[in-house]
Structure formats: structure tokens, C-alpha cells
Amino acid sequence: MKVISSRPIRHFGILIGLIVCSMAFKLHRIDDQSIWFDEGYSWNAAVQPTMITAANADSTNPPVYYALLHPAVALWGDSAFALRFFSLIFTLPLIPLAYRLAIRISQPAYRHRAGWSAALLAGLLPSLWWAAQEARMYALMALLVLICALAFDHLLAHPSRRTIGIVCACELTLLYTHNAAPVIAFWLNFSVLSAWFMQRSSKRIPLTTWAAGQAITLGLWLPYFVGRFLNLSGANASVSSAPVPSLELLTDLWASFWVVPYERAAAGTDGLILPLAIALVCAVAAWDGIRRAPRIGWMFAHVAVLTFGVVAALIVLGNEFHGRYLVMIAPLLAVGLGAAAGQARRAGGVLAVSLAAFSVYGIVSAWNPASPFRHDDARGMVRHYAETLTAADTVIAWSYADRYELAYYWPREQVQAARLTLPEGADLEQIAPLLPASGDTALNVWYTQRADYRGMMGCLLEHGTHAPPEVFTTYGMTSLTFRSPSPPRVTFAPVDAAFNDPRSGDTWARLVSTGALPAGFRADQAACVPLELRLTRPLAVDLKAALVVTDAAGEPLAAGDALVTDDAIFATADQRTTSAAQPGELMRAFPSVRLPAGAPAGAYTVWVRVYDEAQHPGGLVPTGAGLTIRNGRSIAIGRWKVESAAWPVPPYDPAAAIAITPELTLIAVEGVPPPESPVRNGERFRLALAWLGEGTLPAVTLAAQDGSWEGVFAGAQRAEGGYVRETRWVQVDSDAPTGTAEVRIGERIIATFTVESLPFVDTLPPLERTYDHQIGEIGVLAGVNGLAGRWTVDDLPDMTLIWQALSASQQPYIVFVQVIGADGRVIAQSDSAPGGGTRPTTGWRAGEIVTDVHTLTANGTLVPGDADVIAGMYDPVTGERLRFADGRDHVVLGRVRIE
């Protein structure tokens, strides 16, 4: 009687058990998370009417996965569970295939133990678990890569046309499954050539047959290569963020197999302990395994070559690395580690169990539904739209294709609002006609969105609104809801302003036009002010535009303690900033103007400053005929006249309100320095007053309690009913003694503060050089220290100017010290208020000595040679230099030799 061995049955039962356990892990909460952008693509393809339209639904990816998903969805529906279950199916064959490959490359005595270890890891590896819960093609790619590896191993032992045909068929399927597949083709050819050169037996792989198979494979891929692949670089790559080779990247590559989702690994939330612990276990397993079974080394070589290929491809394409790109390599890592662990005579079981435990931890720790790392929550965002928008409203999103993840949930959440997807790369002229003319508009901002780097949509949609947009955020995206926007029909007014490098004088760019400021707006309405700039030379920095608003008195407005400004970056329609653009290209920026709450009716001046954050944060120097220049850096682009607005009244204490007149009540005073921050002679501070009612805003008086000094500061605006908040600069008298001072309106004291008088110094210190240069009626430059020191290109000495004051100025002036090279260009400079801001010229007292230290900052043109050092003062509002008694706008302190 023939005895049937129970071993095959037992092995089969263990494999089934591993498949069931793996499936249970992958089914758990498979539909908890939202369908995200890429999965939306899969859904859109799956629900197409025919397989042909499904295969061609995604112009940026090959068709095989979509062609397979289409009949599956027709069979069991398009729920999140159904879409992802299709991916899960592809991960289940990985377990027996990993078992099969592991026993082939292991020693006969340990092959089954190696097979079980590999099968266990293939069923539990976190990156494969994550791929099983996403409706994308990565699980299918992992299966095809493992089949290729198994066929390649068979090819090494038994070269045949049939095996080569299997490899080429899998390769072709991969090429039509994902755009990363050329890396697979590189890996296969590299591996075959390496094996051919290393094999010394007569069983070499037949290279002629292999080359013929590759030629057929590539020939069959050629239509896709020419028709789509060559055009992919511009499909979704407006911003390049290629991986940079580094130890951090190496850590990210390794962690992406074990910590999911990948964002959690990249953020380092689990630190380095888990990846390093796994790496240590894997190193022990790999070392022992390769030593005992050299064929296992092939598996780790496959992993290394494929990983290198993926990173190299991402660097060439300029795409950011993401852990999903390594999913296809994960089964090979599982086989290599499992087989290596199985070779260990005593510790094999411990190594295998340790790796499985790490895998289970990686999966279970990702189950946290409150985790800050998960799918973009399109479901939560669409639910928000269903709850807050009506049929008269519109949701706008950017994309290089439709936002299918939003489309997936739109009918499921019963959203009434219209949904509009704008084409990525379109400019103002194409976008403006598409914007809705009525209703509220919600702008959906996806965190990977690169279509509107310059903020055009926010500017256009905020135009005409009476309040800032309402912000709602879910994981991975934000929505800005603009209530009743009035997108402008933008008209540009020509301007010709050159913006120059303040150090070299070279013209970097020209502002050629600005958007017109709207007429008839209320003070609470925002205005979009587009700007057009043309580059005149290549730049290594990104230029931005900053808008500043000043009132009728020329003072910048403030909201709270911050000046009212709006910044926007200059860029082309395809989101290239000035550092990536060419001379002659037209760039646009889209800043907007919104006055602070409580701003009264009147005329306001809008100024623009062009700057870069790296080299010239203070701004480039504008020049041009007919320009009105402020601070030597900003130009006026228009006077904006606004009407009064019904501002909402902020909360206030009625008991603390002060009735100044029967029609006008002061409800809040802000900006008064606290007792622990005394004000010194001549210093200014910004006072903010909030009013209710109607009437001319009264003057404010600053005065000492003992009556020794007093200053009156008139208001420049008028309240026309309702709430008004005004700000004004007030200043302490230059001769104010130490003591308590009051802020008064009429005879009413509205606040007090402390004055700290500076010591009066009337003795000149020792001076290297003495002068007698009088500047206006402010003071005399009496001398300088610092010229006699050793000057080198790497170490410029501090310059100390000594001033003898004549009288306090009406406005604060800035002192400049410049080093002028032999070619007449500024090669180093310092600009600051005297004493580093502690001795403003508004506080100078007749006869006192003011010490003014300046730290020179060199620019890139500083070279050894002779240079002149000059000094002077200028008005920070207009940029105009003050004249010395001899009529010049500067004095030469001396000549130095820079080594």
C-alpha cells in the first residue's frame, strides 16, 4: 500500500493559514479612510462605459491596471471597499510565490524554514499592507516584479526560451502598468548581463534570445513611449523637488518599507529607533544568510539595484520621493530577509519572529484613526461643502485633470453647489471668464497643488468681499470660502519703474504695469491689485512684491501691532519664479489690499516694494521718471478712495468707554507702552484709538504730569457713524525728564506711561579723525573712529560716528555709512537710526554728544583695493538725502586700503 506523505498537505495548510492571516490584517478598516486624489483617478477609470475608455481614462499612466479594474468594479461595485479589495487580491499570491522563491535560493536543509519566513514577511510587510488598502496599481506591480524575480532565478538554473518569454511578458505588462517600469527593464537587463558574465558553466543565459525578447518587448511598448511617456514631464511637474542624496534619504528609503504611511516615516515620528532596530536584525540575518547560501545575495542585489534605479529616475524627472515607489521592491526584500533568517541554525526562528513582530507593529500603529498621517480627507471636505453651500454657490479647484476624489463624494454627500476644475497652468486671461458671477465661492486648496503658487485665485476671489475668507481644513487640504466675491475685470495701467540692486546699481527687473484700484468700494472691501514685472537679467533669487497702505497723513496703517501689508511672489503662469525664468519674460504677482477693521472712509495711498528674502529683504531701489518714492524702496501705485463701512463693533467694556462728545465715544486705547518699557527722549510709538459715533477725530496730547513738556498730535480722519479704529504716531519731547507722562484728549486722561530720560553727554570722546560737517539744523558730524583699523575682505571694522546735536528734528532720519569701491559702486554699507535705533534724531538735545556705531555689511562685489568711506542722513519716508552745509548729500570720512 502506497503511503501518502503528510508534509505537502501540512505545507499547503500553513500557506493557506498565512494567506488568511494576511487577508485579515488587510481587510481591517480597509474603507475607513477617504478616497484620495490618485484613487479618484482609479475610480474614474473603473466606472467608464467600456474597457477601452477605462484604459485611456488616465493620460498620465499606462492602461493595464485600469483595464483590469473596470470589469471588477462592474462585478462588485465602486464603493471604497470594492475599489481597494481589488488591490488586496494582488497581494495574496505574494505569499506562496515568496515561499517558492525563498526555498529555491536557500540551502536544502533550511529551505522550508526560509520559505515560511519569506512567506510570513510577504504577508505582513507594512508597505505591502498599505498598498493593499489603496486603489492603485502598486500591489499589482509588486506581484509582477516578484514573478519576474522568480522567472529570473529559474533562468539562471535552466536557461530556456520559455522562461525568457515569461520574463519578457511580465516586463511588458509592467511597462503598461506604471511609468516607473523602465526601472524594472533596467534591472532585468542589468541582472541578466551580470549573471552572464559571472556564470562559468555551459548553462549561460542565451544572450541572443534574450536580446530578441527585449527588442520585441520594447517594440510593443514603443507606441505608449512615443504617444504618452515622452510627454509626461510637463503633466504634473511645475515645481521640481527631486530627492537629494543624503543620509536622511537613505533612512527614508529604509523606513518606507516598515513605517506606514510614508509621511509618518519621513516626519520621523517614530524616530530612528525602529528603523535602526530593524536594520540591525536584517544585517545579522543577511550576513549569516549570504554566507551560508550565496544565491540570497542575488536577492539583496536586486533590492539595491531597483532602489538605486527608482531614486535616479526621480532625480532625473525632478519628482519628490514617496514610499509608494518602493512597494514593488518590497516582496524581494521579504524574500531576501526571510531566506536569510531561515539559514540561521539556532537564531533563525528568533530573527524571523523579530521581523514579523516589527511588521505587525508597523501595521497596528497605523490603525490609529486620529493619526496625523493618513489619506487626504476629501470625504470630510465634501461633507463640509454639503453642509455650508447651496445650489447658488460654486467650489473651485485646480488640477491638471479633474479632481476625481471630489467627484467621487459629490453625489454620495449630496452636495448642491457646482464644482469647477480649473486647468493647471492657465493664466488670468483664461481663468477670469470661468469664475462664477454670483453666489459664494469656495476655493479648494490641495496641499500638493502647484497650479497657483502666486496666489492668483485667492486675490481674484477676495476682490470685493467684505470679510476675509472662511477657512476650513481637513487632513491634506484646506477650503477658503469667499462670501459674495466680485471677481474683477482686471485692467492694467502702464508704469515704467526700474528696480535696481542697491549695492551694484544693476537693474534686475522693471515693473511694467499695475492693476487699477477699484472705485466706489467701501472701507471693508478687499481689492485685488495684480502686478506685472519683466526681468532684465538672470536672477538666482525669487522676487516678491509687498504692498503697504498709508493714510492721509502718510502713516502706514496697522492692524493690531502689525503694519497692513500683503506679499505675493512673482511667477509665470506655469509657476516658474524669477530664479527659474529668463530675461525678457513677463511675470505676475497677485497681492491684495484689505484695510484693517475700523478703517475710516477717505483716500489711502498704496505703495509697492519689490524685494527678495535672500539678498535684499529691505527692497530693491526703484528709479524712473514721475515716480513717487517712499523710504527709498517703495513706489506709489495709486490713491484709493473708499467710502465708510458698517464695521462690526468689537467687544468692549462699556464702563471703561469715554464720551469725548455727545456723538463720539472712545471705547479702546491700544499701543501705550507698559510701565516696564519706558520711553526715551524723542522716541515715537504707535497709538491706536477705537471710536463709536460720528465726528472729527480729536487731537491727542502727550504731556508730563509735572507740566514740564507737552506735545499735540492732530487726527487726520473723521468718523462717519458706527465703529472706527485709527492709528497715529505720537512722540515724546526731546527734553522730557524722567517721570510719568499722560495721554490726554482735551482734559481727559486716557492713559499713562513712563519716560526715562537719557543722560546728557557733552564731552567728546577720543577721536581718530575730527570734522566739522553740519547737516541741516540737526547736528554736526564731529568725528569718527574705526578708519585706522586693519580692513580685510573678511573682516570690516565697525564704524563709530560722533555727532554733536544742534536740535531735535521733526521726523526721524536714518544715518548711512557706505564704502565706495574704485569703480564708484557701493561695496559695503550700514543703514540705521542713530545709536542702533536708541538715539533717534527726534530726541537730540542741543549740545549733547551722540555716539553712533555702525556694523558694515559687505556685498559680493567687495574686493581688495582702495575705497572711500562716506556718511550722511536720509528721510526714511521719501528716501531723500539731507544736505550738509557745503551743499553735498554726503561727506567723505576718508580713504582705506582693503586687503
Side-chain angles (χ1 to χ4, degrees):
M1 180 178 179
K2 187 177 181 180
V3 178
I4 299 176
S5 172
S6 63
R7 180 174 294 179
I9 298 175
R10 185 171 67 251
H11 291 178
F12 180 77
I14 294 174
L15 283 176
I16 294 299
L18 289 176
I19 291 173
V20 170
C21 290
S22 176
M23 188 172 182
F25 267 101
K26 292 165 183 172
L27 282 174
H28 183 64
R29 294 181 173 173
I30 191 173
D31 57 354
D32 269 11
Q33 297 196 64
S34 172
I35 294 291
W36 71 289
F37 181 82
D38 282 12
E39 290 184 301
Y41 256 96
S42 300
W43 164 78
N44 176 66
V47 297
Q48 294 298 312
T50 68
M51 185 176 292
I52 299 298
T53 55
N56 294 311
D58 182 357
S59 61
T60 62
N61 273 295
V64 165
Y65 171 76
Y66 300 120
L68 295 175
L69 181 61
H70 172 73
V73 166
L75 179 65
W76 57 53
D78 65 343
S79 67
F81 176 90
L83 292 169
R84 291 167 181 165
F85 184 72
F86 185 69
S87 296
L88 186 153
I89 291 174
F90 290 119
T91 64
L92 300 181
L94 294 175
I95 297 171
L97 290 177
Y99 172 83
R100 178 64 180 170
L101 183 55
I103 66 174
R104 287 182 59 88
I105 63 176
S106 302
Q107 286 184 313
Y110 305 102
R111 62 178 186 170
H112 289 297
R113 191 166 66 182
W116 301 135
S117 299
L120 183 64
L121 280 179
L124 294 177
L125 205 64
S127 57
L128 292 172
W129 169 81
W130 188 260
Q133 292 203 341
E134 278 200 339
R136 295 299 286 163
M137 65 285 293
Y138 301 104
L140 173 60
M141 292 177 67
L143 176 60
L144 291 170
V145 167
L146 185 55
I147 294 174
C148 283
L150 191 59
F152 171 77
D153 184 77
H154 190 273
L155 190 63
L156 292 180
H158 307 287
S160 67
R161 293 181 179 179
R162 178 175 175 272
T163 307
I164 290 175
I166 293 173
V167 174
C168 291
C170 287
E171 181 184 358
L172 181 61
T173 306
L174 277 160
L175 287 168
Y176 273 99
T177 299
H178 196 271
N179 294 316
V183 174
I184 309 297
F186 163 78
W187 159 59
L188 289 171
N189 284 277
F190 179 83
S191 299
V192 166
L193 289 174
S194 299
W196 190 86
F197 281 111
M198 293 174 64
Q199 285 180 305
R200 294 189 176 91
S201 66
S202 59
K203 291 185 176 181
R204 280 187 169 183
I205 300 172
L207 283 186
T208 303
T209 305
W210 174 261
Q214 288 299 295
I216 294 172
T217 300
L218 296 178
L220 292 174
W221 185 59
L222 189 62
Y224 179 84
F225 177 78
V226 174
R228 289 193 188 177
F229 191 85
L230 292 177
N231 300 321
L232 292 176
S233 59
N236 190 27
S238 26
V239 175
S240 176
S241 54
V244 178
S246 63
L247 181 60
E248 181 181 3
L249 175 62
L250 189 64
T251 303
D252 285 350
L253 293 172
W254 177 248
S256 64
F257 291 109
W258 307 94
V259 182
V260 290
Y262 166 71
E263 290 81 5
R264 182 169 142 229
T269 55
D270 287 276
L272 293 176
I273 296 177
L274 179 62
L276 288 178
I278 299 173
L280 180 61
V281 174
C282 293
V284 173
W287 169 256
D288 197 38
I290 294 173
R291 187 166 54 88
R292 295 178 182 276
R295 289 175 68 188
I296 296 176
W298 272 103
M299 205 53 53
F300 291 115
H302 290 328
V303 172
V305 170
L306 278 170
T307 303
F308 170 81
V310 168
V311 173
L314 292 174
I315 292 174
V316 171
L317 294 174
N319 284 1
E320 184 179 9
F321 170 73
H322 194 284
R324 65 172 61 92
Y325 299 135
L326 297 188
V327 168
M328 64 181 179
I329 308 173
L332 306 187
L333 181 66
V335 170
L337 292 176
Q343 303 306 300
R345 294 180 179 177
R346 296 181 180 178
V350 175
L351 291 173
V353 170
S354 297
L355 292 174
F358 284 132
S359 298
V360 171
Y361 171 79
I363 294 173
V364 173
S365 62
W367 281 346
N368 179 11
S371 169
F373 304 103
R374 52 189 184 275
H375 288 179
D376 302 332
D377 190 14
R379 177 173 52 200
M381 182 59 71
V382 173
R383 190 167 295 160
H384 166 73
Y385 292 144
E387 295 170 351
T388 59
L389 300 179
T390 69
D393 305 327
T394 306
V395 175
I396 293 179
W398 285 92
S399 183
Y400 55 87
D402 201 355
R403 291 289 299 278
Y404 296 120
E405 85 280 30
L406 300 181
Y408 178 82
Y409 287 110
W410 218 256
R412 287 170 170 81
E413 298 296 335
Q414 300 180 350
V415 183
Q416 300 181 57
R419 182 172 53 85
L420 172 63
T421 301
L422 299 176
E424 185 174 296
D427 210 342
L428 174 66
E429 289 75 14
Q430 294 78 42
I431 295 298
L434 302 177
L435 301 182
S438 61
D440 299 336
T441 302
L443 176 63
N444 181 275
V445 181
W446 183 32
Y447 81 102
T448 62
Q449 174 179 314
R450 292 163 289 194
D452 197 19
Y453 190 44
R454 55 195 176 164
M456 177 176 69
M457 288 308 305
C459 185
L460 295 177
L461 293 176
E462 192 170 14
H463 188 84
T465 59
H466 295 268
E470 300 165 12
V471 180
F472 178 80
T473 299
T474 62
Y475 182 75
M477 63 180 68
T478 295
S479 182
L480 307 175
T481 300
F482 300 86
R483 299 298 179 185
S484 302
S486 305
R489 294 186 178 275
V490 178
T491 57
F492 287 96
V495 64
D496 186 14
F499 281 87
N500 311 311
D501 184 337
R503 297 169 181 171
S504 67
D506 294 336
T507 298
W508 280 16
R510 305 188 77 90
L511 191 68
V512 297
S513 62
T514 67
L517 294 167
F521 268 35
R522 293 180 3 185
D524 59 349
Q525 288 183 277
C528 180
V529 189
L531 306 171
E532 291 187 326
L533 188 84
R534 195 176 298 278
L535 289 185
T536 58
R537 55 170 296 172
L539 297 180
V541 296
D542 292 330
L543 295 183
K544 291 185 173 183
L547 296 185
V548 177
V549 183
T550 58
D551 61 19
E555 296 290 354
L557 300 188
D561 295 327
L563 292 180
V564 175
T565 62
D566 189 27
D567 290 17
I569 194 165
F570 284 100
T572 59
D574 60 359
Q575 312 311 305
R576 287 179 297 110
T577 56
T578 54
S579 61
Q582 299 299 316
E585 284 199 81
L586 188 69
M587 326 285 288
R588 283 175 172 170
F590 288 85
S592 59
V593 176
R594 181 180 291 279
L595 302 182
Y604 297 86
T605 303
V606 180
W607 307 79
V608 63
R609 174 172 58 93
V610 176
Y611 72 101
D612 72 89
E613 295 176 336
Q615 297 182 19
H616 306 300
L620 302 180
V621 176
T623 57
L627 299 179
T628 302
I629 300 176
R630 177 180 181 273
N631 292 340
R633 295 292 191 270
S634 303
I635 65 169
I637 60 173
R639 293 274 287 174
W640 189 28
K641 186 174 182 180
V642 296
E643 301 171 357
S644 61
W647 294 105
V649 180
Y652 71 97
D653 182 5
I658 302 174
I660 303 300
T661 69
E663 296 82 19
L664 197 60
T665 300
L666 180 65
I667 63 172
V669 179
E670 302 170 3
V672 178
E676 63 271 16
S677 300
V679 184
R680 297 180 177 88
N681 309 89
E683 287 188 345
R684 305 194 306 165
F685 58 90
R686 185 185 290 272
L687 191 67
L689 305 176
W691 303 90
L692 281 182
E694 185 175 0
T696 300
L697 302 182
V700 172
T701 301
L702 266 59
Q705 281 187 341
D706 61 7
S708 59
W709 64 273
E710 182 178 276
V712 180
F713 305 90
Q717 295 163 318
R718 176 180 174 82
E720 298 185 1
Y723 167 66
V724 168
R725 185 181 186 275
E726 55 130 1
T727 61
R728 63 182 87 173
W729 286 101
V730 294
Q731 181 177 307
V732 173
D733 191 80
S734 61
D735 292 318
T738 298
T740 301
E742 300 169 344
V743 182
R744 299 199 301 255
I745 294 180
E747 297 301 320
R748 291 178 176 271
I749 300 173
I750 61 174
T752 61
F753 61 96
T754 302
V755 175
E756 181 182 62
S757 179
L758 293 170
F760 189 92
V761 178
D762 58 2
T763 302
L764 287 170
L767 298 173
E768 289 178 3
R769 298 191 184 187
T770 59
Y771 312 104
D772 186 22
H773 297 303
Q774 181 174 337
I775 186 165
E777 299 299 323
I778 301 172
V780 174
L781 180 59
V784 66
N785 288 323
L787 280 175
R790 183 170 180 264
W791 291 60
T792 69
V793 292
D794 298 321
D795 185 17
L796 300 180
D798 288 345
M799 300 295 300
T800 302
L801 307 183
I802 306 299
W803 303 90
Q804 187 168 26
L806 296 177
S807 63
S809 62
Q810 294 298 311
Q811 56 203 33
Y813 290 102
I814 299 296
V815 176
F816 69 87
V817 178
Q818 295 180 342
V819 183
I820 309 297
D823 60 357
R825 294 187 177 187
V826 177
I827 57 177
Q829 69 184 73
S830 169
D831 291 64
S832 71
T838 63
R839 294 307 320 271
T841 57
T842 50
W844 285 13
R845 296 165 291 192
E848 78 169 325
I849 303 301
V850 177
T851 300
D852 183 17
V853 180
H854 287 261
T855 299
L856 294 170
T857 300
N859 60 32
T861 60
L862 180 62
V863 294
D866 292 333
D868 290 325
V869 183
I870 68 172
M873 289 187 184
Y874 64 86
D875 184 338
V877 174
T878 64
E880 183 179 357
R881 290 186 179 184
L882 276 68
R883 298 284 172 175
F884 285 85
D886 60 3
R888 294 184 299 168
D889 64 1
H890 68 276
V891 293
V892 178
L893 301 179
R895 175 160 291 188
V896 296
R897 178 70 181 177
I898 301 176
E899 300 173 354

PDB file of all heavy atoms in Angstrom, residues 42 62 241 355 368 440 506 560 685 769 796 847 857 889 893:
ATOM      1  N   SER A  42      -8.376  56.194 -10.224  1.00  0.00           N
ATOM      2  CA  SER A  42      -8.730  54.786 -10.425  1.00  0.00           C
ATOM      3  C   SER A  42     -10.240  54.623 -10.522  1.00  0.00           C
ATOM      4  O   SER A  42     -10.744  53.887 -11.390  1.00  0.00           O
ATOM      5  CB  SER A  42      -8.185  53.953  -9.265  1.00  0.00           C
ATOM      6  OG  SER A  42      -6.782  54.058  -9.185  1.00  0.00           O
ATOM      7  N   PRO A  62      -0.117  54.293 -17.659  1.00  0.00           N
ATOM      8  CA  PRO A  62      -0.448  53.231 -18.624  1.00  0.00           C
ATOM      9  C   PRO A  62      -1.779  52.556 -18.290  1.00  0.00           C
ATOM     10  O   PRO A  62      -2.330  52.727 -17.195  1.00  0.00           O
ATOM     11  CB  PRO A  62       0.734  52.256 -18.479  1.00  0.00           C
ATOM     12  CG  PRO A  62       1.827  53.038 -17.849  1.00  0.00           C
ATOM     13  CD  PRO A  62       1.157  54.036 -16.962  1.00  0.00           C
ATOM     14  N   SER A 241      11.087  68.986  -7.190  1.00  0.00           N
ATOM     15  CA  SER A 241      11.503  68.706  -5.814  1.00  0.00           C
ATOM     16  C   SER A 241      12.174  67.341  -5.770  1.00  0.00           C
ATOM     17  O   SER A 241      11.736  66.444  -5.061  1.00  0.00           O
ATOM     18  CB  SER A 241      10.303  68.753  -4.868  1.00  0.00           C
ATOM     19  OG  SER A 241       9.277  67.882  -5.321  1.00  0.00           O
ATOM     20  N   LEU A 355      11.399  40.032  12.859  1.00  0.00           N
ATOM     21  CA  LEU A 355      10.994  40.801  11.676  1.00  0.00           C
ATOM     22  C   LEU A 355       9.481  40.825  11.527  1.00  0.00           C
ATOM     23  O   LEU A 355       8.893  41.862  11.171  1.00  0.00           O
ATOM     24  CB  LEU A 355      11.644  40.209  10.430  1.00  0.00           C
ATOM     25  CG  LEU A 355      13.168  40.360  10.341  1.00  0.00           C
ATOM     26  CD1 LEU A 355      13.707  39.606   9.132  1.00  0.00           C
ATOM     27  CD2 LEU A 355      13.557  41.830  10.252  1.00  0.00           C
ATOM     28  N   ASN A 368      -4.416  53.823  14.009  1.00  0.00           N
ATOM     29  CA  ASN A 368      -4.958  54.928  14.799  1.00  0.00           C
ATOM     30  C   ASN A 368      -5.780  55.861  13.912  1.00  0.00           C
ATOM     31  O   ASN A 368      -5.232  56.544  13.037  1.00  0.00           O
ATOM     32  CB  ASN A 368      -3.809  55.700  15.455  1.00  0.00           C
ATOM     33  CG  ASN A 368      -4.303  56.875  16.274  1.00  0.00           C
ATOM     34  OD1 ASN A 368      -5.500  57.015  16.539  1.00  0.00           O
ATOM     35  ND2 ASN A 368      -3.378  57.723  16.681  1.00  0.00           N
ATOM     36  N   ASP A 440     -21.671  82.398  -3.364  1.00  0.00           N
ATOM     37  CA  ASP A 440     -20.415  82.242  -2.642  1.00  0.00           C
ATOM     38  C   ASP A 440     -19.515  81.277  -3.405  1.00  0.00           C
ATOM     39  O   ASP A 440     -19.984  80.395  -4.137  1.00  0.00           O
ATOM     40  CB  ASP A 440     -20.661  81.705  -1.230  1.00  0.00           C
ATOM     41  CG  ASP A 440     -21.524  82.654  -0.402  1.00  0.00           C
ATOM     42  OD1 ASP A 440     -21.539  83.867  -0.715  1.00  0.00           O
ATOM     43  OD2 ASP A 440     -22.176  82.186   0.549  1.00  0.00           O
ATOM     44  N   ASP A 506      22.861  97.669 -10.567  1.00  0.00           N
ATOM     45  CA  ASP A 506      22.360  96.984 -11.760  1.00  0.00           C
ATOM     46  C   ASP A 506      20.839  96.858 -11.701  1.00  0.00           C
ATOM     47  O   ASP A 506      20.257  96.592 -10.644  1.00  0.00           O
ATOM     48  CB  ASP A 506      22.973  95.586 -11.858  1.00  0.00           C
ATOM     49  CG  ASP A 506      24.476  95.630 -12.094  1.00  0.00           C
ATOM     50  OD1 ASP A 506      24.946  96.650 -12.622  1.00  0.00           O
ATOM     51  OD2 ASP A 506      25.163  94.654 -11.727  1.00  0.00           O
ATOM     52  N   GLY A 560      -3.844  95.885  14.725  1.00  0.00           N
ATOM     53  CA  GLY A 560      -3.196  95.465  15.959  1.00  0.00           C
ATOM     54  C   GLY A 560      -1.829  96.107  16.013  1.00  0.00           C
ATOM     55  O   GLY A 560      -1.698  97.311  15.898  1.00  0.00           O
ATOM     56  N   PHE A 685       5.849 106.154  19.414  1.00  0.00           N
ATOM     57  CA  PHE A 685       5.132 104.889  19.471  1.00  0.00           C
ATOM     58  C   PHE A 685       3.783 105.067  18.778  1.00  0.00           C
ATOM     59  O   PHE A 685       3.270 106.181  18.636  1.00  0.00           O
ATOM     60  CB  PHE A 685       4.972 104.362  20.906  1.00  0.00           C
ATOM     61  CG  PHE A 685       4.257 105.289  21.857  1.00  0.00           C
ATOM     62  CD1 PHE A 685       2.873 105.237  22.002  1.00  0.00           C
ATOM     63  CD2 PHE A 685       4.970 106.199  22.640  1.00  0.00           C
ATOM     64  CE1 PHE A 685       2.215 106.068  22.898  1.00  0.00           C
ATOM     65  CE2 PHE A 685       4.319 107.028  23.528  1.00  0.00           C
ATOM     66  CZ  PHE A 685       2.941 106.963  23.663  1.00  0.00           C
ATOM     67  N   ARG A 769      39.747 110.808  13.852  1.00  0.00           N
ATOM     68  CA  ARG A 769      39.683 111.945  12.951  1.00  0.00           C
ATOM     69  C   ARG A 769      38.574 112.877  13.421  1.00  0.00           C
ATOM     70  O   ARG A 769      37.526 112.418  13.889  1.00  0.00           O
ATOM     71  CB  ARG A 769      39.408 111.500  11.516  1.00  0.00           C
ATOM     72  CG  ARG A 769      40.503 110.601  10.939  1.00  0.00           C
ATOM     73  CD  ARG A 769      40.326 110.408   9.442  1.00  0.00           C
ATOM     74  NE  ARG A 769      41.304 109.474   8.908  1.00  0.00           N
ATOM     75  CZ  ARG A 769      41.472 109.224   7.615  1.00  0.00           C
ATOM     76  NH1 ARG A 769      40.705 109.848   6.720  1.00  0.00           N
ATOM     77  NH2 ARG A 769      42.384 108.345   7.211  1.00  0.00           N
ATOM     78  N   LEU A 796      35.540  93.551   8.225  1.00  0.00           N
ATOM     79  CA  LEU A 796      35.416  95.003   8.165  1.00  0.00           C
ATOM     80  C   LEU A 796      35.190  95.532   9.575  1.00  0.00           C
ATOM     81  O   LEU A 796      34.365  95.008  10.321  1.00  0.00           O
ATOM     82  CB  LEU A 796      34.248  95.408   7.269  1.00  0.00           C
ATOM     83  CG  LEU A 796      34.317  94.954   5.807  1.00  0.00           C
ATOM     84  CD1 LEU A 796      33.087  95.430   5.059  1.00  0.00           C
ATOM     85  CD2 LEU A 796      35.578  95.488   5.140  1.00  0.00           C
ATOM     86  N   GLY A 847      23.604 120.561  21.992  1.00  0.00           N
ATOM     87  CA  GLY A 847      24.871 120.485  22.700  1.00  0.00           C
ATOM     88  C   GLY A 847      25.293 119.090  23.129  1.00  0.00           C
ATOM     89  O   GLY A 847      26.456 118.885  23.502  1.00  0.00           O
ATOM     90  N   THR A 857      28.089  95.879   6.356  1.00  0.00           N
ATOM     91  CA  THR A 857      27.763  94.614   5.706  1.00  0.00           C
ATOM     92  C   THR A 857      28.284  94.669   4.279  1.00  0.00           C
ATOM     93  O   THR A 857      27.902  95.555   3.503  1.00  0.00           O
ATOM     94  CB  THR A 857      26.253  94.362   5.697  1.00  0.00           C
ATOM     95  OG1 THR A 857      25.784  94.329   7.049  1.00  0.00           O
ATOM     96  CG2 THR A 857      25.932  93.046   5.009  1.00  0.00           C
ATOM     97  N   ASP A 889      25.344 115.895  -0.415  1.00  0.00           N
ATOM     98  CA  ASP A 889      24.443 114.997   0.304  1.00  0.00           C
ATOM     99  C   ASP A 889      25.194 113.908   1.073  1.00  0.00           C
ATOM    100  O   ASP A 889      24.612 112.960   1.557  1.00  0.00           O
ATOM    101  CB  ASP A 889      23.419 114.357  -0.634  1.00  0.00           C
ATOM    102  CG  ASP A 889      24.059 113.444  -1.678  1.00  0.00           C
ATOM    103  OD1 ASP A 889      25.303 113.278  -1.670  1.00  0.00           O
ATOM    104  OD2 ASP A 889      23.326 112.895  -2.519  1.00  0.00           O
ATOM    105  N   LEU A 893      34.536 110.401   4.767  1.00  0.00           N
ATOM    106  CA  LEU A 893      35.220 110.229   6.051  1.00  0.00           C
ATOM    107  C   LEU A 893      36.701 109.942   5.856  1.00  0.00           C
ATOM    108  O   LEU A 893      37.516 110.274   6.726  1.00  0.00           O
ATOM    109  CB  LEU A 893      34.570 109.077   6.830  1.00  0.00           C
ATOM    110  CG  LEU A 893      33.076 109.232   7.132  1.00  0.00           C
ATOM    111  CD1 LEU A 893      32.561 108.011   7.880  1.00  0.00           C
ATOM    112  CD2 LEU A 893      32.821 110.500   7.937  1.00  0.00           C
TER     113      LEU A 893
END
